[in-house]
Amino acid sequence: MSQKQPLHAGPDRPLELSRRDDGFAVTARWNSDTGSDEINGPDEVVIRISDEATPEVRRHGITSSVLHRTGRQVDDMVAEFHDMPSAGAYQVMVGRYIEGRLAELAQARGATADGFEADLLAVYEDLASRRHADPLGALATTTGRTRAALGRLLDVARHRNDQEGPSREHLA
């Protein structure tokens, strides 16, 4: 049985993945491998109207709706590039898990109590312990916050834990 080789770009070999979606072709290119375990997006994304597009698609062109749809295609290509299982379904599953855990932790501490940072840290550590390839990226995607903002919130939670000790038992 042959094993699937992970996709990686090299200095002399850019990697290109493409998808077609309702009259559009989306191509993502990685020009170099970062050499890190962190998930990285492509260096370039090209969206073009495909040859088989309907007259209506051609008339409207690349709209914000098309950009939104193609964003999911890029997510799938990033997952494929990093050899993640069931690309789109996996990301949806992780996002739902994060949303559920954050809601569960918020309910456990009480809706008005401080502790959102601690909840984020608990979920981040849970994802990391499950060997998720990019727990910070998954949190950023699900919460709509930037990596930098989440990094600051996680630092606040770590600082509080260092000073006070864990203030509550994390739900498993």
Side-chain angles (χ1 to χ4, degrees), residues 26 48-49 52 64 69 71 96 118 136 160:
V26 183
R48 65 176 184 78
I49 298 174
E52 56 275 349
S64 60
R69 280 195 335 263
R96 287 182 182 159
L136 188 61
R160 286 182 184 159

Side-chain angles (χ1 to χ4, degrees), residues 46-105:
V46 177
I47 303 168
R48 65 176 184 78
I49 298 174
S50 63
D51 295 337
E52 56 275 349
T54 66
E56 184 178 2
V57 165
R58 290 183 182 287
R59 184 173 57 251
H60 292 289
I62 299 171
T63 64
S64 60
S65 173
V66 171
L67 291 173
H68 182 71
R69 280 195 335 263
T70 57
R72 289 188 296 256
Q73 299 292 341
V74 172
D75 286 345
D76 285 347
M77 289 183 278
V78 168
E80 181 179 343
F81 179 78
H82 291 284
D83 203 30
M84 294 171 61
S86 304
Y90 178 77
Q91 291 171 335
V92 168
M93 178 186 70
V94 170
R96 287 182 182 159
Y97 172 76
I98 290 170
E99 289 169 350
R101 285 290 288 140
L102 288 173
E104 188 177 294
L105 291 167

Side-chain angles (χ1 to χ4, degrees), residues 79-157:
E80 181 179 343
F81 179 78
H82 291 284
D83 203 30
M84 294 171 61
S86 304
Y90 178 77
Q91 291 171 335
V92 168
M93 178 186 70
V94 170
R96 287 182 182 159
Y97 172 76
I98 290 170
E99 289 169 350
R101 285 290 288 140
L102 288 173
E104 188 177 294
L105 291 167
Q107 184 177 11
R109 70 174 155 77
T112 59
D114 290 333
F116 179 66
E117 297 90 353
D119 294 349
L120 286 172
L121 183 59
V123 172
Y124 174 87
E125 289 174 346
D126 185 27
L127 291 172
S129 72
R130 294 169 188 258
R131 302 184 54 83
H132 187 282
D134 186 17
L136 188 61
L139 272 175
T141 298
T142 303
T143 63
R145 289 177 166 76
T146 66
R147 287 175 178 268
L150 282 170
R152 288 190 295 273
L153 291 169
L154 294 173
D155 286 344
V156 166

Side-chain angles (χ1 to χ4, degrees), residues 13-52:
R13 182 180 78 106
L15 181 85
E16 185 174 287
L17 296 171
S18 295
R19 298 285 189 277
R20 292 196 177 277
D21 182 13
D22 292 335
F24 295 93
V26 183
T27 302
R29 291 185 188 103
W30 283 260
N31 296 319
S32 62
D33 193 354
T34 62
S36 102
D37 289 337
E38 188 172 321
I39 293 176
N40 66 312
D43 298 303
E44 179 181 354
V45 174
V46 177
I47 303 168
R48 65 176 184 78
I49 298 174
S50 63
D51 295 337
E52 56 275 349

